[in-house]
Structures are given as C-alpha cells and as structure tokens.
C-alpha cells in the first residue's frame, strides 16, 4: 500500500509517493540522553508534554481567566435523530494535539466507532488554524503524533510507523510492526512505541532502524486466545522505558488485567513488572505511565503509585469510577481525572481537593458525563477538558470541565468528549481537541 504525498490547503491527500522501508536490526547507537524538559515553552511536541509524561509546562503566558477562544473544525459532524447514526463519527476519533515550530499536528481515524476508511495526519497553523498540509494514514491513525528535530512520527492501523517531514509532510522513513502501534515517545536518538500485540520497539529516530524489540507474549500463549495490548505512550527516563499493557481475550474488548513494565533503555531487557487488575472488567486500556520523583503512576480503573526502582506498590487511589486518566504531577501533587477532577498528595495519595463534574449524560443511568481527559499543569493552573481550574484550590477559573448540554463545544455524544491524552499547552495558548474533530485554541483575553 502506498502512502500519499501531502496536499496543501486541503484535508485529503491526492498525489502518490512510494513508501520507504526501514531496516530491522541492531544499531550501535549513541548514549541515551533524555530531554524531558529540554524544549521551548512555545512547544508541546509529544503527548503529555515530555518523555516522562508529567503533564507540566513551564509556560507562564497561559490564560487563567476570560480567555479568547477560537474553534477550528476538521469536519462538520452529521446530525441525526437516530442513536446509531449519532454514535457513528464521520472521520473517526481525533488524537490529542501536539505543537512544534508554530504548527499544530493531529491524527484522525483513531480506533473507536468509525466507518471503514483512512485517516490523516493534519498540520495546522497554530495561530490561524489554517491547514498547512495533510497526508493519508492508511486504515486510520493509531495514536497521537510526536515531533522532534523536524520530523513528525505517527502510527497507522496498517501496522506502520512513519516519519514525515514536519514542514512539508513528505515521507522520510516508514517501518512496519506485527500490529498497529500506539502513541510514540521520543527521547534522545530513538522513538519508543508499543503495539497491539504487546511488543515494545525502539527505532532509531533518523532512519527507523530497529535497535531492540521486547515481546512480552509467551510462546505458549500463541495457542490461546489471551492477548496483550499497548496503546498508551511509553514514559522514558535516563535509563528506563516504562510501558503499560492491557491483557484481555480475542472474543472481547474487555481488559481483565494490566502490567506496568520497566525495560532497560539500552537493550529492552525487563527489569521488573507490576501486575494489577481493574476494579472490574474495563473496556479501556491502561493510560500512559507518568514518572516523577522516583514514582511511576499508572491508571486504568484505579490509580496506582509504584516505586520506579523496584516496582513495589506505594499507594492506590480509587475514585469509584471505571476509568482513570493519566495524571499530571507537579510540586508534590498528583492531578487526575476520573469523572471528577482530583488533586492528591504524591506522598500517600490522600485527597487534597476535588472538582465535581455535574454534567448530564443522556445515555447513562448515573446522569453524569465522565471526565477522562488527562490534565496539564502550567502557570498555577490545571487545564482539563475545555476549561481551567486553580491548581491550589480546584476552583473553576473558566470553561467547561466536563460536558454540558448547553455547550457548543461539547455535546451529549460520548465522541464529543475531550481526547484522553489531554490538551497541548504552549507559552501563549492552550489547544484542546474533541474526539469528533474540533480543536479549540484558548489565549489570554488581555492580549
């Protein structure tokens, strides 16, 4: 299958260009330097902001009250009285936005309710929202893009990971794996990514050469229906790659158990694993792991805090809801979404405050739309959903933290929720995407 050359000023690619194959094998690579905060405040180049996924930005010019709002729609969703048609999104789910060099990147066609077809990697001007280019992703995108050194990396459901030129959309390299990959992490000289068969790959960033691969599926499992699935972005520190895995079966989307793996960054060897089970069967895969101050946080239906050195349990937080977001961590506080938004002590998981989400859901008996989008902390503010809370008190500052019937941005469709990997925060703007294809840009109202 060939990829498509990008089209400028429109959203459907048309000119063909051949795929570039990547070599698989060992590489004598450079030292594993980490750049968890080595980025401009004007950029948010990967999901959750850094290789360690801490969800923190040093930006100080972000809106804390009465922001100016601009909305960009990738497409217009078809409205219908039919519940079935309402729940079918025209172009598939949208990834979280990432921002680099004045451009916003999103992938479309992510797994979820969608018609069969392709997706796209879309590049938008970060100030005006005007499309700069788009390129087809065969069978749809499979995770949020990542941008580093002029390359945009993104997976697609045809089992490919492709590096595009971030300025033009031209293909620089392309490699395939045994299953569609999730959201990539970029640190040092490599791109780290997990796939839907439970394998973890480290590819050389410049040309896609495979440095190492870790497969956690044992040989005997090939004769069973048990499956290991990775979709969330890995977390990468100076010497370790942390990965979350959901374990289920072929005949169901339910996740019966989860693993948090710690792998050697240099060779992919397993150092330890932390095994856990959802509070009850979950249809969501575990969220991205977050590493901060010697602790790894991982959420599915319960938020677990695990010692980063040996994988021992430190504490757990149970909100009572079936899904927990990837948290943001800053100054000894863990911020997490699980229907409501919570601030927890990083020392022991005790609750410091909560913002109660009172939004209605016409399809659920509990009459509440869950907030599952990952938060981001910047400028004393927690940005979550399409709104902002004060980081010290949880007081609502602006916007809608959760969904409301009278909101033009959100709706009563589950696919209209904010995307789960959270907003992108730069020094001057906050970018939020919904799963059905709208992007909102919030800037300070006094400018």
């Amino acid at each position: 299958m060939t990829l498509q050359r990008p089209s400028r000023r429109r959203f459907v690619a048309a000119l063909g260009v051949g795929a570039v194959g990547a070599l698989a094998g060992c590489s004598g690579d450079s030292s594993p330097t980490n750049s968890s905060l080595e980025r401009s405040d004007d950029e948010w180049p990967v999901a959750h902001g850094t290789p360690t996924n801490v969800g923190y930005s040093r930006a100080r010019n972000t809106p804390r009250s009465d922001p100016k709002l601009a909305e960009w729609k990738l497409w217009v969703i078809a409205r219908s009285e039919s519940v079935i048609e309402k729940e079918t999104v025209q172009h598939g789910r949208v990834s979280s936005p990432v921002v680099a060099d004045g451009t916003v990147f999103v992938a479309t066609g992510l797994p979820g309710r969608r018609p069969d077809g392709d997706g796209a990697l879309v590049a938008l001007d970060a100030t005006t929202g005007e499309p700069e280019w788009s390129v087809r992703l065969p069978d749809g995108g499979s995770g949020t893009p990542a941008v580093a050194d002029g390359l945009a990396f993104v997976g697609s459901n045809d089992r490919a990971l492709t590096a595009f030129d971030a300025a033009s959309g031209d293909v620089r390299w392309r490699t395939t794996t045994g299953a569609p990959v999730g959201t990539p992490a970029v640190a040092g000289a490599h791109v780290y990514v997990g796939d839907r068969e439970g394998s973890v790959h480290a590819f050389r960033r410049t040309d896609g050469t495979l440095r190492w691969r870790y497969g956690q599926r044992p040989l005997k499992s090939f004769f069973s229906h048990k499956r290991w699935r990775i979709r969330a972005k890995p977390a990468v520190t100076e010497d370790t790659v942390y990965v979350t895995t959901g374990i289920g079966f072929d005949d169901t989307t339910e996740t019966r158990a989860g693993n948090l793996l710690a792998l050697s960054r240099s060779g992919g060897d397993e150092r330890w694993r932390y095994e856990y089970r959802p509070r009850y069967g979950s249809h969501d895969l575990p969220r991205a792991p977050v590493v901060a101050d010697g602790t790894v946080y991982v959420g599915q239906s319960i938020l677990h805090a695990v010692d980063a050195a040996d994988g021992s349990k430190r504490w757990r937080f149970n909100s009572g809801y079936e899904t927990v977001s990837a948290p943001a961590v800053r100054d000894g506080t863990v911020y997490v979404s699980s229907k409501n938004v919570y601030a927890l002590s990083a020392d022991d998981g005790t609750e410091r405050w909560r913002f109660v989400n009172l939004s209605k859901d016409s399809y659920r008996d509990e009459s509440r739309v869950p907030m599952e989008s990952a938060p981001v902390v910047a400028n004393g503010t927690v940005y979550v959903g399409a709104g902002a809370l004060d980081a010290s008190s949880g007081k609502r500052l602006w916007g809608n933290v959760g969904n409301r019937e009278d909101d033009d941005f959100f709706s009563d469709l589950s696919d209209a929720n904010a995307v789960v990997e959270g907003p992108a925060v730069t020094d001057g703007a906050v970018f939020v995407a919904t799963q059905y294809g709208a992007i909102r840009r919030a800037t300070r109202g006094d400018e």
Side-chain angles (χ1 to χ4, degrees):
M1 179 178 290
T2 59
L3 294 178
Q4 301 274 330
R5 184 176 289 278
S7 60
R8 293 185 175 274
R9 304 298 172 185
R10 60 193 182 93
F11 274 52
V12 180
L15 300 177
V17 62
V20 179
L23 299 176
C26 294
S27 166
D29 179 55
S30 59
S31 60
T33 58
N34 194 24
S35 55
S36 60
L37 287 177
E38 293 174 10
R39 58 175 170 82
S40 165
D41 293 345
D42 289 328
E43 295 187 322
W44 190 266
V46 293
H48 308 289
T50 71
T52 53
N53 297 335
V54 292
Y56 167 68
S57 172
R58 298 168 299 191
R60 297 186 177 276
N61 191 31
T62 58
R64 277 186 55 87
S65 63
D66 300 325
K68 294 180 181 178
L69 297 175
E71 185 180 79
W72 311 328
K73 292 184 177 180
L74 302 182
W75 58 79
V76 178
I77 190 171
R79 295 292 179 183
S80 170
E81 295 303 316
S82 165
V83 173
I84 295 177
E85 291 184 23
K86 272 187 176 183
E87 293 184 347
T88 300
V89 179
Q90 286 180 317
H91 296 268
R93 295 179 186 267
V94 176
S95 76
S96 288
V98 295
V99 184
D101 295 326
T103 300
V104 177
F105 300 86
V106 292
T108 72
L110 270 65
R113 288 189 297 271
R114 66 177 181 88
D116 293 334
D118 297 333
L121 176 62
V122 181
L124 307 170
D125 184 282
T127 300
T128 66
E130 287 294 314
E132 296 179 351
W133 53 262
S134 70
V135 64
R136 182 171 65 92
L137 297 177
D139 299 328
S142 56
T144 294
V147 183
D149 293 336
L151 295 177
F153 308 92
V154 66
S156 51
N157 287 312
D158 64 341
R159 301 181 296 110
L161 175 68
T162 306
F164 297 95
D165 186 287
S168 66
D170 293 329
V171 176
R172 294 306 180 204
W173 55 259
R174 180 179 188 266
T175 188
T176 57
T177 61
V181 300
T183 297
V186 183
H190 288 87
V191 180
Y192 303 88
V193 66
D195 69 31
R196 287 184 216 161
E197 289 293 338
S199 295
V200 184
H201 311 261
F203 296 105
R204 192 160 62 194
R205 190 182 66 206
T206 53
D207 61 9
T209 298
L210 180 66
R211 182 182 186 189
W212 55 256
R213 172 186 173 275
Y214 171 88
Q216 61 184 300
R217 182 179 182 181
L219 181 61
K220 64 181 180 180
S221 73
F222 283 89
F223 301 98
S224 74
H225 294 287
K226 198 172 184 180
R227 292 291 179 266
W228 285 254
R229 302 181 179 99
I230 301 173
R231 185 177 296 170
K233 175 175 173 276
V236 185
T237 65
E238 294 290 345
D239 59 0
T240 306
V241 179
Y242 299 91
V243 183
T244 55
T245 307
I247 303 173
F249 295 89
D250 276 345
D251 57 352
T252 177
T253 60
E254 188 177 41
T255 299
R256 305 288 181 86
N259 281 336
L260 170 63
L261 298 172
L263 307 177
S264 163
R265 184 170 168 182
S266 60
D269 300 318
E270 181 177 329
R271 291 178 167 168
W272 54 257
R273 70 172 56 198
Y274 175 82
E275 299 180 352
Y276 58 92
R277 291 187 177 274
R279 191 165 52 91
Y280 33 68
S282 172
H283 291 281
D284 290 309
L285 293 175
R287 306 304 193 200
V290 176
V291 186
D293 301 321
T295 301
V296 187
Y297 303 90
V298 59
Q300 190 166 348
S301 60
I302 295 173
L303 181 67
H304 300 256
V306 179
D307 188 287
D310 61 15
S312 59
K313 182 179 73 175
R314 289 187 168 174
W315 53 260
R316 302 192 313 164
F317 172 75
N318 185 354
S319 72
Y321 189 70
E322 64 186 32
T323 301
V324 177
S325 75
V329 184
R330 179 63 178 165
D331 291 337
T333 302
V334 180
Y335 303 91
V336 66
S337 302
S338 185
K339 186 182 85 65
N340 303 315
V341 182
Y342 300 86
L344 311 173
S345 166
D347 291 332
D348 57 13
T350 55
E351 184 177 322
R352 290 178 170 170
W353 57 253
R354 75 172 65 178
F355 178 87
V356 179
N357 174 14
L358 298 177
S359 305
K360 293 182 179 180
D361 184 346
S362 59
Y363 295 119
R364 292 176 181 259
D365 292 338
E366 68 259 28
S367 299
R368 295 290 182 267
V369 172
M371 172 50 62
E372 300 176 357
S373 181
V376 170
V377 181
N379 191 25
T381 307
V382 180
Y383 296 98
V384 59
L389 306 174
D390 182 81
S392 60
S393 67
K395 178 183 178 182
R396 176 183 172 273
L397 299 176
W398 58 265
N400 295 326
V401 181
N403 303 339
R404 287 175 20 179
E405 289 181 337
D406 59 350
D407 181 35
D408 292 333
F409 185 54
F410 291 113
S411 76
D412 61 354
L413 294 177
S414 61
D415 291 293
N417 292 344
V419 292
V420 298
E421 290 189 298
V425 177
T426 65
D427 194 24
V430 177
F431 300 87
V432 182
T434 62
Q435 295 171 6
Y436 71 76
I439 299 174
R440 177 167 287 188
R441 178 180 185 265
T443 55
R444 286 175 46 170
D446 57 357
E447 295 182 351

